[in-house]
């Protein structure tokens, strides 16, 4: 009788998990005890013995180990200390600050430390010349950053497959007895790695040093004419390392050690000539012209030792075979000229005209530079009605505005316009491989033209304010990567997407409902809604991103919207009801992908309340979003294993799906077929072939932040020889109201360097944070 009998929750079959108990007669048991299934309390079973790492010698009482997961995911901790000093003379002022951050994250043996130093100096050299400078240095390092995503070296991958009522203490000794450092223990499954091994042996190290600085000089030739010149530098050097022990999956049976050295530098310089002139007392004219240059250099070097001679020795010299090197370099530059002409009449009529010309090397090719340059202008007209006319006393301020603006962009990723090879990650150093992205030699810059009309009104001595804007814009030649047939030799192709129309409204409402000598209450509401429609495309439809299961994909179609989610889903009758299979009672699937919703919210809103009473101040922030959907891989995998509540019905007596079937005459009739194969019944709803079954709305209301501060009175502060003293407590991400099935509807899935909306893939739990702060000013 084997200790590792294949079984999962009662009534559901599957080969993903090994159970951790077998009864005396050899019957498989699951790792649950619920009101929906048989209770195993009081029964004796052969169970896993963590001391011997094998089946126990005798039968023992089975019991669930509740909430053991909280012994793994523990509250994190962040301590931040900042000291700043500022002062100066009548001509020079300076400010110096030092900040230290120490973080311990919610996963064992993860976190980071950061030290920051900042210095700024402003000096009036003469009546005409002023010079200011600022320099910041940051060092952030970590012995282990958590691995994310859906893979066997990710904590969340293990979480998805873990038996929730098992004892996590059984996993703490993650080495096989007598094979320490060489063989990992897999007591229940060969799929995910042991979570303690991931935390303590699968390490991701990082050490980043970053320095940024700028110097600005302003020379006042006359009262009307001045020149500003500025230069800036931002560079960083980061070392990373990944350690994988022996027996780290099929890819690394003898472990792995990889290092990356990353150097990034961005430098820039600009000048701006400004002329201000008042004409006849009523007209004021400001003319500004200037130019800028930007240069970016990126240097990446990776070395891989993917087989180690001696276990636990993480050096490149311990490699059992040849080292693999993966160097990469990139450069790009942007040159610009710009101008601004501003005019005003009696401080109530204003007109701003701008023009800018950019040249971006990203858009050039070895053979042409024609598309590298792009020009975009703008105009803005505003009229302050309350200054031009005598309005009723209850109108404190009123302004209307209109703008037409153009924006251009070429992006910042170089080498997209010409065919180029990439370094191959193989045993052949210096080897190259064909690119997976089909270059676009005719790549054009993105251009957006937007028209906006708005108003800003304040009433009742500015106790109530409204800022309203309505806009309509068209984006042309959006730069996207479309999915193409791999038979072409590529997985993606770079395209200009055509034309997309955006319409929206933005509303900001603020008010002070209560305002007395000792108490005040202010409210701010921000609301924005946007809709977009694809007007033109090179093809009738373009697949922008493929999801993990069920044919899920983000598709752009003429007449559709950016962010449209498609995938395989239910076969439905003309009235929309789900069609079920006659013999089995399983839900039938549409053989074609279908529209499942849009991944971009229709609107977002924020609500801020601030209450002040004497020295007390309370700040509350809520925000919400509505109208988007997304696919959850975590839900699909948990439901497939029977770990979600929506898989409880029918486990022991079967279930009748809510829908219709086709009778012998081809008519749709109410489904009466009892599905007894519950595992495959729920797979037809939530399995890997049904993307629709795990698509959920990402609507939410969040209690985003609460903060309570107390400031000592002015008299007491002076007695303590301080300028100010404030103590406070705060909380962030305090609560979420949402029907999203997993942790947080505001997830982000990384695809290379891009964040892909619409597909949740093994997200980490969102964190609620509490803290206290003390601010002393000397």
């Amino acid at each position: 009788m084997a200790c590792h009998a294949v079984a999962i929750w009662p009534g559901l079959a599957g080969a993903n998990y090994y159970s951790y108990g077998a009864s005396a007669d050899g019957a498989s048991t699951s790792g649950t005890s619920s009101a929906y299934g048989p209770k195993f309390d009081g029964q004796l079973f052969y169970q896993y013995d963590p001391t011997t790492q094998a089946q126990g010698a005798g039968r023992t009482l089975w019991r669930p180990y509740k909430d053991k997961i909280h012994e793994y995911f523990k509250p994190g901790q962040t301590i931040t200390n900042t000291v700043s000093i500022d002062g100066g003379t009548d001509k020079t002022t300076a400010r110096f600050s030092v900040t230290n951050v120490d973080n311990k994250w919610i996963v064992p043996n993860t976190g980071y430390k950061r030290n920051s130093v900042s210095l700024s100096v402003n000096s009036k050299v003469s009546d005409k010349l002023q010079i200011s400078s600022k320099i910041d240095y940051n060092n952030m390092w970590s012995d282990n950053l958590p691995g994310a995503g859906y893979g066997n070296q990710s904590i969340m991958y293990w979480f998805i497959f873990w038996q929730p009522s098992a004892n996590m203490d059984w996993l703490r000794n993650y080495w096989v007895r007598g094979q320490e450092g060489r063989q990992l223990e897999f007591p229940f499954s060969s799929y995910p790695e042991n979570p303690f091994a991931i935390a303590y042996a699968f390490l991701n190290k990082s050490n980043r040093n970053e320095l940024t600085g700028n110097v600005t000089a302003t020379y006042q030739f006359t009262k009307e004419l001045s020149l500003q010149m500025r230069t800036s530098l931002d560079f960083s050097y980061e070392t990373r390392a990944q350690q994988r022990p022996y027996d780290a999956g099929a890819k690394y049976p003898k472990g792995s050690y990889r290092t990356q050295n990353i150097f990034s530098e961005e430098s820039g310089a600009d000048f701006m000539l400004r002329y201000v002139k008042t004409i006849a007392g009523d007209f004021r004219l400001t003319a500004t012209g200037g130019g800028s240059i930007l240069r970016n250099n990126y240097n990446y070097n990776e070395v891989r030792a993917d087989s180690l001679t001696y276990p636990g020795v993480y050096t490149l010299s311990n490699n059992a075979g040849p080292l693999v090197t993966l160097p990469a370099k990139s450069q790009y530059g942007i040159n610009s000229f710009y101008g601004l002409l501003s005019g005003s009449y009696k401080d109530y009529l204003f007109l701003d005209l701008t023009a800018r010309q950019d040249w971006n090397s990203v858009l050039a090719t070895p053979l042409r530079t024609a598309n590298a340059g792009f020009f975009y202008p703008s105009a803005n007209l505003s009229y302050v009605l309350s200054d031009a006319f005598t309005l009723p006393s209850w109108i404190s301020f009123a302004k209307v505005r209109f703008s037409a603006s153009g924006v251009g962009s070429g992006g910042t990723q170089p080498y997209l316009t010409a065919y180029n090879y990439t370094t191959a990650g193989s045993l052949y150093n210096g080897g190259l491989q064909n690119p997976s992205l089909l270059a676009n030699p005719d790549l054009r810059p993105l251009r957006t033209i937007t028209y906006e009309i708005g108003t800003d009104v304040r009433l009742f001595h500015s106790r109530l304010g409204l800022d309203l804007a309505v806009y309509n814009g068209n984006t042309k030649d959006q730069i996207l990567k479309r999915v193409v047939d791999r038979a072409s030799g590529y997985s993606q192709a770079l395209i200009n997407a055509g034309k997309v129309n955006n319409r929206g409204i933005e509303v900001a409402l603020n008010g002070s409902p209560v305002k007395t000598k000792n108490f005040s209450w202010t409210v701010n509401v921000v609301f924005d809604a946007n809709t977009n429609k694809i007007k033109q495309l090179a093809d009738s439809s373009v697949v922008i991103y493929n999801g993990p299961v069920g044919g899920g994909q983000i598709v752009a179609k003429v007449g559709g919207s950016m962010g449209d989610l498609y995938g395989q889903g239910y076969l439905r009758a003309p009235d929309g009801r789900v069609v079920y299979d006659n013999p089995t009672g399983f839900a039938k699937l549409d053989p074609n992908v279908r529209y499942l919703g849009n991944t971009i919210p229709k609107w977002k809103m924020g609500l801020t309340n601030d209450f002040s009473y004497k020295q007390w101040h309370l700040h509350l922030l809520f925000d919400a979003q509505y109208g988007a959907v997304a696919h959850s891989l975590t839900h699909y995998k948990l439901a497939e294993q029977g770990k979600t509540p929506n898989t409880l019905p029918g486990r022991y007596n079967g279930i009748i799906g809510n829908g219709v079937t086709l009778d012998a005459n081809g008519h749709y009739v109410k489904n009466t077929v009892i599905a007894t194969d519950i595992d495959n019944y729920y797979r037809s709803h939530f399995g890997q072939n049904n993307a629709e079954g795990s698509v959920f709305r990402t609507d939410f209301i969040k209690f985003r932040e609460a903060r309570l501060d107390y400031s000592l009175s002015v008299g007491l502060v002076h007695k303590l020889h301080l300028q100010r003293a404030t103590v406070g407590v705060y909380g962030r991400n305090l609560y979420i109201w949402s029907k999203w099935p997993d942790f947080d509807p505001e997830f982000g899935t990384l695809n290379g360097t891009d964040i892909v909306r619409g597909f949740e893939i093994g997200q980490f739990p969102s964190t609620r944070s509490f803290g206290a702060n003390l601010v002393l000013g000397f």
Side-chain angles (χ1 to χ4, degrees):
M1 180 178 56
C3 171
H4 295 167
V6 178
I8 54 173
W9 282 37
L12 294 183
N16 288 351
Y17 258 97
Y18 296 111
S19 72
Y20 45 88
S23 65
D25 60 1
S28 299
T29 66
S30 78
T32 185
S33 174
S34 75
Y36 300 93
K39 294 180 179 294
F40 298 115
D41 298 275
Q43 297 189 41
L44 299 179
F45 295 86
Y46 290 102
Q47 298 188 69
Y48 177 77
D49 184 347
T51 303
T52 61
Q53 296 181 334
Q55 177 181 288
R59 289 175 291 171
T60 56
L61 180 68
W62 185 93
R63 63 185 179 91
Y65 295 85
K66 300 179 180 179
D67 293 328
K68 296 295 287 186
I69 195 70
H70 294 110
E71 295 185 12
Y72 188 84
F73 291 100
K74 294 186 177 181
Q77 173 184 292
T78 301
I79 299 175
T80 303
N81 296 291
T82 300
V83 177
S84 61
I85 303 172
D86 57 73
T89 65
D90 57 338
K91 290 188 176 182
T92 302
T93 61
R95 188 177 190 275
F96 176 77
S97 66
V98 177
T99 301
N100 171 261
V101 179
D102 191 342
N103 169 270
K104 293 181 180 179
W105 206 52
I106 61 175
V107 173
N109 197 40
T110 60
Y112 67 89
K113 293 185 178 181
R114 185 176 71 238
N115 294 310
S116 305
V117 180
S118 178
L119 174 65
S120 61
V121 179
N122 299 301
S123 180
K124 186 177 181 181
V125 180
S126 67
D127 291 339
K128 293 182 177 293
L129 178 63
Q130 292 189 19
I131 298 177
S132 62
S133 61
K134 183 177 182 180
I135 187 169
D136 294 295
Y137 169 74
N138 288 279
N139 171 242
M140 176 176 166
W141 64 275
S142 174
D143 282 336
N144 188 28
L145 295 171
Y150 187 75
N152 71 333
Q153 296 177 23
S154 162
I155 292 295
M156 298 313 297
Y157 184 82
W158 159 80
F159 173 84
I160 288 172
F161 288 102
W162 173 242
Q163 291 284 17
S165 59
N167 188 354
M168 287 198 61
D169 293 336
W170 295 345
L171 307 179
R172 291 186 182 276
N173 182 13
Y174 49 86
W175 293 114
V176 173
R177 292 170 58 89
Q179 293 293 318
E180 287 79 7
R182 292 183 176 273
Q183 185 176 347
L184 291 169
E185 170 69 0
F186 297 91
F188 307 124
S189 173
S190 59
Y191 280 14
E193 298 286 356
N194 184 301
F196 292 99
I198 295 174
Y200 293 99
F202 291 66
L203 303 184
N204 306 297
K205 299 184 176 183
S206 174
N207 189 349
R208 178 183 175 88
N209 291 278
E210 183 176 16
L211 184 68
T212 61
N214 65 74
V215 178
T216 303
T218 304
Y219 192 82
Q220 197 78 34
F221 294 100
T222 66
K223 290 183 178 181
E224 294 86 9
L225 183 63
S226 65
L227 174 66
Q228 177 182 285
M229 301 186 69
R230 177 174 53 193
T231 183
S232 62
L233 178 66
D234 181 346
F235 70 87
S236 65
Y237 179 72
E238 181 178 7
T239 59
R240 300 175 185 171
Q242 299 82 43
Q243 299 176 187
R244 299 295 181 263
Y246 267 41
D247 198 25
K251 290 182 64 176
Y252 311 113
K254 290 192 175 182
S256 171
Y257 180 60
R258 296 182 177 184
T259 65
Q260 299 86 34
N261 293 317
I262 306 169
F263 177 79
S264 177
E265 177 191 71
E266 186 167 281
S267 59
D270 64 81
F271 74 93
M272 184 172 66
L273 192 64
R274 189 168 185 263
Y275 179 77
V276 181
K277 182 68 175 180
T278 301
I279 305 172
D282 293 333
F283 293 93
R284 182 180 176 86
L285 181 68
T286 302
T288 302
S292 66
I293 60 172
L294 181 144
R295 297 293 182 269
N296 182 282
N297 292 280
Y298 179 82
N299 198 335
Y300 175 95
N301 285 288
E302 179 173 356
V303 183
R304 297 179 178 180
D306 284 343
S307 182
L308 304 178
T309 303
Y310 303 103
V313 179
Y314 297 103
T315 63
L316 296 175
S317 59
N318 189 37
N319 192 34
L323 296 174
V324 175
T325 58
L326 296 172
K329 294 183 178 181
S330 68
Q331 296 178 328
Y332 70 86
I334 301 175
N335 297 334
S336 306
F337 283 109
Y338 51 85
L340 168 66
L341 183 64
S342 299
S344 65
Y345 176 70
K346 290 187 176 181
D347 289 332
Y348 64 75
L349 182 62
F350 302 88
L351 175 65
D352 295 324
L353 301 173
T354 70
R356 184 181 179 98
Q357 174 71 40
D358 282 1
W359 292 270
N360 191 336
S361 68
V362 168
L363 298 171
T365 75
L367 301 178
R368 63 114 180 112
T369 60
N371 290 347
F374 46 96
F375 174 81
Y376 46 101
S378 73
N380 181 71
L381 178 66
S382 58
Y383 189 35
V384 183
L385 300 173
S386 54
D387 289 342
F389 304 99
T390 301
L391 300 178
S393 59
W394 53 274
I395 301 178
S396 308
F397 178 83
K399 181 177 73 172
V400 293
R401 62 184 185 271
F402 172 78
S403 67
S405 62
V407 176
S409 175
T412 58
Q413 185 177 350
Y415 315 132
L416 299 177
T417 59
Y419 188 91
N420 60 86
Y421 293 95
T422 56
T423 306
S426 65
L427 296 178
Y428 302 100
N429 280 328
L432 300 176
Q433 62 185 4
N434 290 327
S436 60
L437 176 67
L438 179 61
N440 187 344
D442 297 317
L443 190 66
R444 298 181 299 276
L446 171 149
R447 297 176 186 273
T448 299
I449 297 177
T450 304
Y451 299 94
E452 179 181 310
I453 185 170
T455 182
D456 183 359
V457 179
R458 301 167 206 169
L459 310 175
F460 312 115
H461 303 287
S462 297
R463 292 281 296 274
L464 178 63
L466 170 67
D467 193 310
L468 172 66
V470 179
Y471 62 87
N472 182 73
N474 288 294
T475 298
K476 184 179 179 181
D477 291 333
Q478 188 173 359
I479 300 173
L480 296 174
K481 296 174 182 177
R482 68 173 297 181
V483 177
V484 296
D485 192 333
R486 289 184 177 272
S488 66
Y490 301 90
S491 59
Q492 292 179 308
L494 192 71
I495 64 169
N496 287 112
K499 185 178 180 180
V500 180
N501 175 258
N502 282 278
R503 296 181 179 181
I505 183 172
E506 297 176 350
V507 181
L509 182 66
N510 59 82
S512 301
V514 180
K515 195 171 185 179
T516 66
K517 180 181 178 180
N518 293 323
F519 178 77
S520 67
W521 170 29
T522 60
V523 181
N524 290 276
V525 179
V526 178
F527 175 89
D528 68 86
N530 176 272
T531 60
N532 72 79
K533 188 173 183 180
I534 301 171
K535 297 289 190 178
Q536 297 176 7
L537 279 177
D539 296 322
S540 59
S541 66
V542 172
V543 177
I544 299 174
Y545 180 75
N546 278 325
V549 294
Q553 51 194 236
I554 303 296
V555 179
K557 281 188 175 183
V558 174
S561 300
M562 300 300 295
D564 280 348
L565 175 64
Y566 284 76
Q568 194 168 3
Y570 295 107
L571 183 66
R572 295 181 181 271
D575 62 1
R577 288 183 292 176
V578 176
V579 179
Y580 285 83
D581 182 64
N582 263 319
T584 63
F586 303 159
K588 299 185 73 172
L589 300 181
D590 193 324
N592 302 312
V593 297
R594 56 191 303 269
Y595 176 74
L596 302 177
N598 191 275
T599 60
I600 302 174
K602 288 182 172 62
W603 57 258
K604 293 186 176 184
M605 187 175 72
L607 172 64
T608 304
N609 285 276
D610 286 277
F611 303 89
S612 295
Y613 177 71
K614 294 184 178 180
Q615 283 81 49
W616 292 93
H617 179 252
L618 175 64
H619 171 81
L620 303 174
L621 172 62
F622 294 83
D623 59 16
Q625 74 175 30
Y626 173 82
V629 301
H631 180 271
S632 171
L633 181 138
T634 297
H635 173 268
Y636 138 60
K637 295 304 295 185
L638 290 175
E640 188 179 54
Q641 301 169 68
K643 296 179 181 177
T644 55
N646 55 2
T647 63
L648 291 175
R651 293 193 175 193
Y652 306 103
N653 300 312
I655 188 172
I656 300 174
N658 183 20
V660 297
T661 60
L662 276 172
D663 64 14
N665 298 318
H667 299 133
Y668 290 105
V669 296
K670 183 176 177 59
N671 178 35
T672 58
V673 179
I674 300 175
T676 56
D677 184 347
I678 299 301
D679 179 29
N680 282 310
Y681 171 83
Y682 281 115
R683 287 178 188 269
S684 72
H685 282 278
F686 309 121
Q688 64 177 350
N689 294 322
N690 188 349
E692 183 180 359
S694 293
V695 168
F696 300 91
R697 298 187 68 91
T698 56
D699 306 340
F700 69 78
I701 299 174
K702 281 193 176 186
F703 190 179
R704 184 73 70 175
E705 184 176 89
R707 188 180 189 96
L708 179 64
D709 292 317
Y710 179 79
S711 299
L712 272 63
S713 64
V714 175
L716 181 57
V717 166
H718 288 167
K719 287 182 181 180
L720 296 174
H721 304 288
L722 299 172
Q723 291 184 355
R724 62 172 178 148
T726 301
V727 61
V729 292
Y730 64 87
R732 298 191 179 99
N733 293 325
L734 295 173
Y735 199 81
I736 304 174
W737 293 269
S738 177
K739 292 185 178 180
W740 180 252
D742 303 317
F743 301 108
D744 196 329
E746 280 190 306
F747 61 86
T749 297
L750 284 175
N751 178 34
T753 58
D754 299 326
I755 296 180
V756 179
R757 287 183 175 178
F759 296 99
E760 175 275 319
I761 305 176
Q763 70 175 124
F764 275 110
S766 54
T767 57
R768 179 187 295 116
S769 61
F770 300 94
N773 63 285
L774 174 65
V775 179
L776 300 176
F778 295 90

